[in-house]
Amino acid sequence: MNRRLLAGSIITLLGAALAVVPGGSSTVAAAAGEPYTLWYDEPAPDTNEGWESRSLPIGNGAMGATVFGGVAAERLQFNDKTLWTGGPGVPDYNFGNWDAPRPGALEAVRERIWKEGGIPAEDVLAALGLKSDTPRHRRFGAYQSFGDVRLSFPGLPERAADYRRELDVERGVAGVSFLAGDVRHTREYFASAPAGVVVARLATDRPGGVAFTARIAVPANRSATATASGGRVTVKGALSNNGMAYEAQLQVLHRGGTRTDNPDGTVTVSGADSAVLILGTGTDYADDYPSYRGRDPHARLTARVSAAAAQGHARLLAAHRADHRALFGRVALDLGGVMPARPTDDLLAAYGTGDPAADRALEQLFYQYGRYLLIASSRPGSLPANLQGVWNVLEAPPWQSDYHLNINLQMNYWPAEQTNLAELAEPLHTYVDRLREPGRVTAGQMYGADGWVAHHASNIFGQTGAWDHPAYFFPESGAWLAGQLYDHYRFTLDERFLKRTAYPIMKETARFWRDFLRTDPRDGSLVAVPSRSPELGPSTAGTAMSQQILWNLFTDLRDAATLLGDGKEARAAAAVLERLDPGLRVGRWGQLQEWKDDRDDPAETHRHVSHLFAVHPGRQVSPRTTPELAEAAKVSLNARTDVGTGWSKAWKINFWARLLDGDRAHKLLADQLRTSTLANLWDTHPPFQIDGNFGATSGMTEMLLQSHLGTIDLLPALPGTWRDGQVSGLRARGAHTLDLVWRSGRLSEVKVTPDERGTVRLRSDTFRDGARVVDGRGRPVSHRVNGDLLTFSAKAGERYRIT
């Protein structure tokens, strides 16, 4: 809509095309109403606010860029996940560890907790937290904006007719199209994972109609030199904070007209038929503890940009589309939505006001947008998606745009397995593995323990110690992350991954906790002490979330050890489980307790609902297995209310789906869309925080399919608003791929393809009326129905159809 709300700031141009686009054939000139396209009838304002709420993101995992779509002046803000301040380049950086030993500090904290029942979190901070005269942001650091590609177009107006700016998440391509006079201008942007660059193509439907000057602008917190040679803009320097070397190269290619390299490090193109821009970035960061520094990026970056330029636009685009389609195309969702010919910001503003088909279309788009954002911000070989994925415009972003390990990083990867993007979790797995080396030092120094540990927040420099804030004491982070790695095995049955990656991490994590756990003198159980419910309340012994996470860790370890034939480890894990407090109690007002003592406040509406970890992502509490505890979880959720930040609402979608209340889960989804979603469909805390996007996609999937209890539960929390629909390509634990069709709120058809031979166990109330199972050739398959449970023996790779 032609109005200025929150509007945005930054876009990155990479690689452009050389072929002339015939009149009106631009990829962005397509009609409105495409189901997986965000589109707008005005540019994003060239401000930080505009960047946050209006710019359109593209990314290849390592790099990100945002498209503003200005007519006379375009801004492409870009990022590289390795550009951070802080870390070993700062003289007193010590990975969050203590500068000197603190004999007796931990035991003194524990003694106080045993005597007083709970102590202020600030007292734990004073005893165990980080103490330094250097400001936190200087030593810990923050994710940085790399800079902006700025394009100025002489002779073009500020506003143009027939304007359209779009992001096609199905193709992974953004674009801008408009009329200036009688000339059609088209601009296309994509971030290529195969080539490792961002590409832009500029064209008009009139020969000689492309003219612009390109430059790269970088923030002031670094040294910078800019040169232009052979049509390539190079900007390089070092961050002032830590000396990290960085370099950006922008290759400008043109067809027709002239190109001039200017003394100020800019490139001007005049009278061209089309132009292609190829952007690459690099730093001297290396994921190598303790220095985290490698070679100067110049040679590698030059080779990468030159290789991309040699391919040409057509080949770059074809390779990008094939790569993106291979991931995005695995899952399709139809909730009965019909996308209207309406800009996305108008569609969002009208959500819930009386057009059910449009509402379902927005929900379908929002679902797939979460998958798109993961594809764009997490690829094998890159760092994991951070609090803002791969996109950041600021030198001092909210929460450093770091890795929060007390839910946010984990939530980023909730949709990876279930929405058939399992390989995109590789950056998370590698990141966790690389935390172990610095984490061993922290475990030994702070706790006198074996194994490894990490706390609430980390960076790209191995920060595993505590911070100077009470919220940041959370040694359970590593245990939670280890569970996420084991869940990857449960979805894929990849035994090599289990042996080489997940199991060693799980074992070492458990070693730390065997040393950390203490016997509670009140009942003889093993509890974590000190322990705190994330960001809320006192430090105590045996907080519910701590105990639930540890129940998951030792249960997973016992199962994995048994599977791998490690009887000694299986017995050790089982011995801990026998004594471990499970963190499950029903309190005085019927709630699932947040602390071991019944101290929950029924008026507390904090955004964290940590004591329901056992519901999601854990598996201790379910209406199917523990109905009394599930009812207590509902009491706790209702007390917290449906109000919350964007990511909190997203977590509550998952909670209510696991509690089999589809209508309540959908209500939270609707609340998130109405109150916690920006015009560009980014989730807002506020401010922008990407985990809410990923959490919502996960929650919508949990409404359609669950498998955490060992049986594949079909449509377990289908809301009344999704009366008819279908979904294909979802993944279930046990390495199954499923397609579902439902009509009038009842399952009508299932297709199951198991990766491995074995027994398939499906649950649906529809089976009570009987079912027919056939294989891929239509031959009947022997099966058994027992109430709502259907089982049959399956062959690996065979596709079975159940009606």
Side-chain angles (χ1 to χ4, degrees):
M1 64 181 62
N2 288 314
R3 65 186 184 193
R4 301 274 178 159
L5 292 179
L6 298 173
S9 54
I10 301 176
I11 293 181
T12 299
L13 280 171
L14 295 174
L18 292 177
V20 177
V21 176
S25 66
S26 163
T27 59
V28 299
E34 296 169 346
Y36 297 139
T37 297
L38 292 75
W39 72 276
Y40 307 84
D41 57 10
E42 62 180 351
D46 188 0
T47 64
N48 289 342
E49 211 176 34
W51 174 87
E52 180 181 27
S53 67
R54 294 266 169 179
S55 69
L56 296 176
I58 56 175
N60 62 19
M63 294 178 64
T66 52
V67 178
F68 286 76
V71 174
E74 173 67 291
R75 181 188 181 192
L76 302 173
Q77 186 270 337
F78 61 98
N79 294 97
D80 180 315
K81 274 200 204 139
T82 65
L83 189 67
W84 269 69
T85 57
V90 177
D92 65 346
Y93 180 72
N94 61 357
F95 309 95
N97 296 321
W98 298 338
D99 294 325
R102 302 182 193 177
L106 176 60
E107 288 310 314
V109 167
R110 285 172 168 162
E111 283 303 315
R112 279 195 61 195
I113 289 173
W114 295 133
K115 290 177 181 178
E116 301 173 29
I119 64 175
E122 290 76 11
D123 291 2
V124 176
L125 169 67
L128 305 179
L130 187 62
K131 300 174 182 177
S132 175
D133 294 331
T134 303
R136 176 202 308 162
H137 69 271
R138 176 168 172 78
R139 60 181 184 276
F140 180 90
Y143 185 43
Q144 296 295 293
S145 170
F146 213 103
D148 304 291
V149 172
R150 294 281 188 170
L151 305 176
S152 58
F153 299 89
L156 287 184
E158 289 296 319
R159 292 182 174 272
D162 196 21
Y163 181 93
R164 178 180 169 107
R165 179 172 58 99
E166 72 172 26
L167 172 62
D168 183 340
V169 301
E170 187 172 26
R171 295 172 59 245
V173 177
V176 177
S177 174
F178 57 86
L179 282 172
D182 59 353
V183 178
R184 168 68 61 182
H185 292 254
T186 58
R187 302 171 188 167
E188 176 189 74
Y189 312 95
F190 61 90
S192 168
V197 295
V198 172
V199 180
R201 183 177 189 275
L202 318 175
T204 65
D205 63 357
R206 178 172 297 179
V210 175
F212 63 92
T213 294
R215 65 185 176 93
I216 294 176
V218 298
N221 66 345
R222 64 202 68 176
S223 64
T225 60
T227 60
S229 176
R232 185 171 301 190
V233 176
T234 299
V235 174
K236 61 193 302 184
L239 295 178
S240 303
N241 167 269
N242 60 6
M244 179 180 282
Y246 75 91
E247 183 170 335
Q249 296 184 15
L250 178 69
Q251 180 67 56
V252 180
L253 308 173
H254 68 108
R255 171 162 291 184
T258 62
R259 185 185 68 197
T260 304
D261 298 329
N262 302 314
D264 62 353
T266 63
V267 170
T268 298
V269 170
S270 301
D273 300 329
S274 65
V276 172
L277 309 178
I278 299 176
L279 177 66
T281 59
T283 72
D284 65 352
Y285 171 81
D287 191 5
D288 185 16
Y289 172 82
S291 69
Y292 292 97
R293 288 296 172 88
R295 295 175 295 166
D296 184 272
H298 177 75
R300 287 171 289 129
L301 176 59
T302 299
R304 179 164 22 109
V305 173
S306 296
Q311 289 187 57
H313 174 266
R315 289 175 60 192
L316 286 169
L317 179 60
H320 163 70
R321 290 185 63 180
D323 169 75
H324 183 80
R325 182 173 57 248
L327 294 166
F328 186 90
R330 293 174 184 172
V331 170
L333 175 65
D334 179 2
L335 301 175
V338 178
M339 185 65 74
R342 186 184 305 162
T344 302
D345 50 352
D346 290 347
L347 182 69
L348 179 63
Y351 178 78
T353 61
D355 186 347
D359 292 348
R360 301 296 83 74
L362 178 60
E363 291 165 2
Q364 293 164 189
L365 174 60
F366 194 55
Y367 179 87
Q368 292 285 29
Y369 190 49
R371 298 183 68 246
Y372 165 83
L373 291 172
L374 190 59
I375 293 168
S377 64
S378 184
R379 291 296 191 101
S382 72
L383 288 163
N386 59 42
L387 280 175
Q388 296 180 178
V390 67
W391 302 280
N392 170 47
V393 70
L394 299 172
E395 298 167 48
W399 303 286
Q400 302 77 232
S401 190
D402 65 19
Y403 297 102
H404 269 40
L405 309 183
N406 72 341
I407 184 172
N408 311 94
L409 177 59
Q410 291 90 334
M411 184 182 283
N412 282 0
Y413 288 91
W414 285 352
E417 309 295 341
Q418 57 190 173
T419 74
N420 217 334
L421 298 172
E423 62 266 55
L424 303 189
E426 184 275 339
L428 173 68
H429 305 156
T430 300
Y431 183 77
V432 175
D433 190 33
R434 300 288 172 83
L435 283 178
R436 285 197 290 164
E437 192 170 4
R440 291 168 190 146
V441 177
T442 301
Q445 185 196 71
M446 286 188 68
Y447 304 108
D450 196 3
W452 76 284
V453 70
H455 287 80
H456 174 291
S458 192
N459 53 20
I460 66 170
F461 305 116
Q463 170 99 9
T464 52
W467 262 41
D468 55 0
H469 189 284
Y472 289 78
F473 183 86
F474 190 67
E476 295 84 356
S477 296
W480 188 343
L481 290 165
Q484 203 132 335
L485 269 65
Y486 186 63
D487 216 28
H488 176 78
Y489 166 75
R490 296 178 71 207
F491 271 97
T492 63
L493 300 185
D494 183 346
E495 194 165 320
R496 181 179 181 184
F497 169 81
L498 179 61
K499 289 179 178 178
R500 294 190 175 189
T501 303
Y503 189 59
I505 292 172
M506 294 163 67
K507 285 200 301 182
E508 189 169 9
T509 307
R511 287 206 299 273
F512 169 81
W513 284 101
R514 287 191 188 102
D515 287 347
F516 187 93
L517 287 167
R518 290 293 181 269
T519 299
D520 189 332
R522 296 170 291 183
D523 60 12
S525 65
L526 292 177
V527 293
V529 55
S531 168
R532 188 179 187 225
S533 199
E535 304 187 32
L536 179 65
S539 292
T540 66
T543 299
M545 185 188 217
S546 303
Q547 300 303 127
Q548 294 166 12
I549 289 174
L550 296 177
W551 183 91
N552 259 31
L553 171 66
F554 285 101
T555 300
D556 290 346
L557 181 60
R558 180 197 61 196
D559 294 348
T562 300
L563 178 70
L564 296 176
D566 188 347
K568 180 179 179 181
E569 193 69 40
R571 289 189 295 273
V576 173
L577 286 170
E578 286 178 5
R579 295 186 57 204
L580 185 71
D581 186 313
L584 301 175
R585 285 176 176 79
V586 178
R588 67 190 186 282
W589 44 278
Q591 86 283 10
L592 195 64
Q593 289 181 202
E594 190 159 5
W595 291 273
K596 188 166 184 175
D597 293 329
D598 192 356
R599 62 173 72 228
D600 298 48
D601 180 358
E604 179 61 68
T605 59
H606 196 273
R607 61 191 176 276
H608 283 264
V609 196
S610 304
H611 50 309
L612 300 195
F613 177 94
V615 177
H616 183 277
R619 59 189 187 276
Q620 288 169 278
V621 175
S622 168
R624 304 244 187 243
T625 57
T626 56
E628 180 184 351
L629 293 174
E631 287 302 313
K634 292 178 184 179
V635 171
S636 291
L637 265 182
N638 283 322
R640 279 290 208 265
T641 77
D642 293 344
V643 176
T645 58
W647 69 263
S648 178
K649 292 187 181 79
W651 198 5
K652 291 172 184 176
I653 299 170
N654 289 269
F655 284 142
W656 284 111
R658 286 278 180 95
L659 293 170
L660 309 183
D661 190 337
D663 289 333
R664 187 67 173 272
H666 185 269
K667 190 235 181 229
L668 265 300
L669 171 64
D671 287 353
Q672 184 172 351
L673 283 167
R674 281 192 292 257
T675 64
S676 296
T677 301
L678 300 168
N680 59 4
L681 300 190
W682 267 347
D683 172 77
T684 181
H685 182 280
F688 160 53
Q689 196 170 297
I690 204 167
D691 44 10
N693 288 101
F694 298 136
T697 295
S698 168
M700 294 175 72
T701 308
E702 292 279 348
M703 294 159 75
L704 300 174
L705 183 73
Q706 297 176 17
S707 58
H708 57 293
L709 299 178
T711 298
I712 302 172
D713 212 334
L714 309 175
L715 305 181
L718 188 70
T721 51
W722 296 353
R723 180 175 173 82
D724 301 298
Q726 56 187 344
V727 64
S728 63
L730 296 183
R731 294 283 288 176
R733 293 168 184 84
H736 300 86
T737 304
L738 291 102
D739 305 344
L740 310 177
V741 180
W742 64 94
R743 295 289 179 263
S744 300
R746 286 179 60 81
L747 185 69
S748 60
E749 180 180 272
V750 187
K751 293 178 181 176
V752 185
T753 306
D755 294 354
E756 305 285 345
R757 180 180 180 179
T759 301
V760 175
R761 296 169 55 86
L762 306 175
R763 172 174 279 120
S764 171
D765 280 338
T766 305
F767 298 148
R768 297 181 188 278
D769 300 327
R772 180 172 183 265
V773 182
V774 298
D775 64 14
R777 299 181 182 180
R779 298 173 300 191
V781 173
S782 176
H783 61 280
R784 180 182 179 186
V785 175
N786 182 11
D788 63 354
L789 185 65
L790 182 149
T791 59
F792 63 94
S793 296
K795 299 177 182 178
E798 184 76 47
R799 194 179 199 194
Y800 298 89
R801 180 170 177 259
I802 302 100
T803 57

